[in-house]
């Protein structure tokens, strides 16, 4: 059985292929009366859009989103708002060049999903990979823009931490810098090196991987559905579902293996706002699968683009050994455009859990609790 839907109460179904006439999604479960226009969604799509700099694929897609349903003008305010019915969004594909793929029509790209799609379905949409292409992720970004509007005070931001051997220095982290360079890199000094590095890589016909961090602030304490719908479990699944993502960490992640219990456990004091103040955030804002109220921090590793110019050994769909060299338009580092996609998936998961928490618990209990008299 195929599975093209994610989320429980905030439910996103995507459809469409890389080289079909359009891609789209249906967002079901969005509460009514939330102001929503195309202009709320488009800026996020523009951040993910191909052809934005010479460091990403030169496929020219305006990615102009249209809202087909689920909105109506509110008589009182005059604003267009959600109606509580399914919101259908569509983006036309305008720059398909299926010809680019005719040379590799029958050959499997090592590292790509050509073989697995073919062996599973028995047919091959060689035009850019069809549904296996990350073109579909534009719709996740569109859905993420709606998700961000559901949780009051939520901010979800992502940044590139590492590209190949180049790692940022966290001491130089500046969120404003993320919007100033084409790599979503928070460290200006590292960003300054990435241009030349990618130019050399592109000239050699190769590609490279990356590590991305997404931070969600304003996540209320109490989100997450133990045991099988833990917030960290759902975030990991959502991030892992992004094309080319090969690893996910929450908070200290794999580095926690080197820490002692004293170093790892985030100590607690009382904050001035009457809420607990955690003295560190190794938990990445989640304990027991439930949000603590601290920023939720997730990282993911993106593998290098499989479509490389360098000739590689492979087989074709008729079982013959051959060689493949992928021309056409590809990102030398797909990790760059994965930043807004990661943000969107985190926003969708948090919105889903926010609605689930409201559904099961209603108002979260007032904390701290009154101490019972003895
Ligand atoms: C934004 C983005 C763009 C991508 N573009 C390409 C591409 O141009 N060429 C390519 O070979 N892979 C590209 N990928 C990766 C493939 O879609 C992915 O590696 C492939 O579907 C196999 O799936 P897997 O890597 O998750 O196992 C891209 C991934 C992302 C996130």
């Amino acid at each position: 059985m195929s599975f093209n839907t994610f989320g429980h109460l905030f439910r996103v179904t995507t459809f469409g292929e890389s080289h079909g006439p359009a891609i789209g999604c249906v967002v079901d479960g969005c509460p009514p009366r939330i102001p929503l226009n195309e202009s709320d969604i488009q800026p996020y799509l523009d951040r993910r859009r191909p052809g934005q700099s010479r460091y990403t694929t030169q496929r020219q897609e305006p990615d102009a989103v249209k809202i087909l349903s689920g909105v109506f003008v509110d008589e009182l305010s005059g604003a267009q708002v959600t109606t509580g019915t399914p919101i259908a969004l569509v983006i036309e594909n305008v720059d398909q060049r299926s010809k680019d793929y005719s040379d590799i029509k029958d050959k499997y790209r090592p590292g790509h999903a050509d073989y697995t799609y073919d062996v599973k379905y028995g047919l091959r949409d060689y035009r850019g990979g069809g549904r296996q292409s990350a073109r579909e992720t534009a719709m996740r970004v569109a859905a993420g823009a709606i998700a961000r509007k559901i949780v009051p005070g939520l901010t979800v931001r992502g940044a590139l931490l590492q590209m190949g051997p180049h790692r940022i220095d966290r001491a130089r982290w500046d969120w404003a810098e993320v919007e100033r360079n084409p790599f979503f890199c928070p460290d200006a000094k590292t960003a300054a090196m990435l241009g030349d590095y990618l130019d050399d890589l592109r000239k050699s016909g190769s590609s490279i991987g990356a590590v991305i961090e997404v931070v969600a602030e304003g996540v209320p304490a109490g989100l997450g559905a133990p045991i099988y719908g833990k917030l960290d479990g759902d975030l990991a699944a959502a991030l892992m579902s992004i094309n080319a993502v090969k690893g996910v960490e929450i908070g200290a992640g794999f580095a926690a293996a080197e820490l002692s219990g004293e170093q790892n456990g985030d100590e607690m004091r009382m904050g001035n706002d009457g809420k607990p103040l955690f003295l560190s955030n190794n938990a990445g804002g989640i304990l027991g699968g439930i949000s603590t109220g601290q920023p939720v921090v997730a990282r993911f590793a993106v593998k290098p683009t499989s479509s490389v110019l360098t000739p590689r050994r492979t087989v074709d769909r008729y079982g013959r050994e051959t060689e493949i060299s992928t021309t056409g338009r590809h990102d030398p580092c797909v990790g760059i455009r994965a930043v807004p996609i990661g943000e969107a998936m985190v926003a969708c998961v948090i919105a889903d859990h926010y609605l689930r928490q409201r559904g099961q618990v209603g108002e979260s209990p007032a904390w701290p609790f009154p101490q019972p008299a003895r």
Side-chain angles (χ1 to χ4, degrees):
M1 195 174 102
S2 295
F3 211 84
N4 293 286
T5 301
F6 68 95
H8 292 258
L9 293 193
F10 184 81
R11 218 164 153 70
V12 180
T13 303
T14 69
F15 62 88
E17 284 82 32
S18 168
H19 285 54
I23 51 174
C25 71
V26 175
V27 176
D28 203 359
C30 180
R33 298 185 306 280
I34 293 179
L36 183 68
N37 281 290
E38 274 99 354
S39 59
D40 295 312
I41 303 173
Q42 197 60 50
Y44 295 104
L45 286 166
D46 290 346
R47 291 176 81 231
R48 179 211 158 273
R49 198 151 65 82
Q52 296 266 72
S53 76
R54 69 175 196 277
Y55 307 110
T56 57
T57 171
Q58 293 308 299
R59 180 168 171 168
Q60 290 298 332
E61 289 288 358
D63 279 357
V65 69
K66 258 193 239 162
I67 304 178
L68 301 185
S69 69
V71 290
F72 196 63
V73 177
D74 175 43
E75 265 186 342
L76 281 181
S77 65
Q80 178 168 285
V81 296
T82 56
T83 57
T85 60
I87 302 168
L89 305 174
V90 75
I91 292 174
E92 280 178 40
N93 289 328
V94 300
D95 188 22
Q96 312 98 315
R97 279 198 224 156
S98 306
K99 196 166 59 58
D100 283 352
Y101 293 88
S102 47
D103 286 349
I104 60 161
K105 187 169 151 301
D106 299 323
K107 300 178 182 180
Y108 300 132
R109 286 170 289 179
H112 218 294
D114 303 333
Y115 168 68
T116 49
Y117 265 71
D118 210 2
V119 79
K120 177 177 174 69
Y121 296 108
L123 61 86
R124 166 106 187 260
D125 183 349
Y126 63 87
R127 310 159 309 162
R131 189 78 181 148
Q132 82 200 45
S133 157
R135 181 93 192 101
E136 176 270 344
T137 59
M139 297 326 302
R140 308 179 189 212
V141 172
I146 300 175
R148 288 172 193 262
K149 305 196 87 181
I150 290 177
V151 186
L154 175 70
T155 311
V156 184
R157 295 183 290 187
L160 182 137
L161 302 190
Q162 184 181 347
M163 185 189 292
H166 299 289
R167 287 168 196 255
I168 64 147
D169 179 347
R170 279 185 177 270
R172 291 194 295 256
W173 188 300
D174 175 4
W175 278 113
E177 186 56 35
V178 170
E179 303 304 323
R180 283 199 286 260
N181 63 71
F183 314 109
F184 302 111
C185 180
D187 169 4
K189 201 169 164 195
T190 305
M193 290 187 287
L194 297 182
D196 286 347
Y197 173 68
L198 275 177
D199 278 338
D200 288 349
L201 208 68
R202 181 190 287 286
K203 277 180 213 144
S204 71
S206 187
S207 64
I208 196 72
V211 177
I212 317 300
E213 182 166 302
V214 179
V215 181
E217 286 161 298
V219 182
L223 306 195
I227 298 288
Y228 301 112
K230 290 183 177 185
L231 188 59
D232 40 4
D234 282 359
L235 284 171
L239 291 171
M240 202 60 142
S241 77
I242 300 172
N243 311 47
V245 172
K246 291 297 137 189
V248 178
E249 291 184 330
I250 306 290
F254 277 78
E258 287 179 35
L259 301 179
S260 63
E262 293 83 355
Q263 290 169 319
N264 182 63
D266 303 311
E267 290 188 284
M268 299 169 80
R269 308 308 295 161
M270 274 308 293
N272 294 333
D273 57 359
K275 294 180 182 164
L277 175 72
F278 292 89
L279 303 184
S280 52
N281 191 10
N282 288 315
I286 304 173
L287 290 169
I290 303 172
S291 59
T292 61
Q294 282 199 288
V296 169
V297 182
R299 265 180 308 284
F300 57 97
V302 183
K303 76 186 195 187
T305 324
S306 310
S307 303
V308 288
L309 205 52
T310 324
R312 311 277 297 140
R313 287 171 293 179
T314 189
V315 297
D316 68 13
R317 64 194 311 253
Y318 307 109
R320 296 175 301 205
E321 292 184 351
T322 178
E323 279 206 347
I324 187 166
S325 161
T326 315
T327 52
R329 301 161 297 171
H330 302 280
D331 289 279
C333 176
V334 294
I336 301 173
R337 290 200 299 131
V339 175
I341 306 167
E343 290 176 357
M345 293 309 280
V346 169
C348 287
V349 170
I350 291 172
D352 187 38
H353 276 282
Y354 176 78
L355 296 176
R356 288 164 75 175
Q357 169 73 355
R358 247 176 30 178
Q360 188 195 11
V361 181
E363 281 292 308
S364 293
W367 188 94
F369 304 108
Q371 200 176 351
R374 287 191 177 247

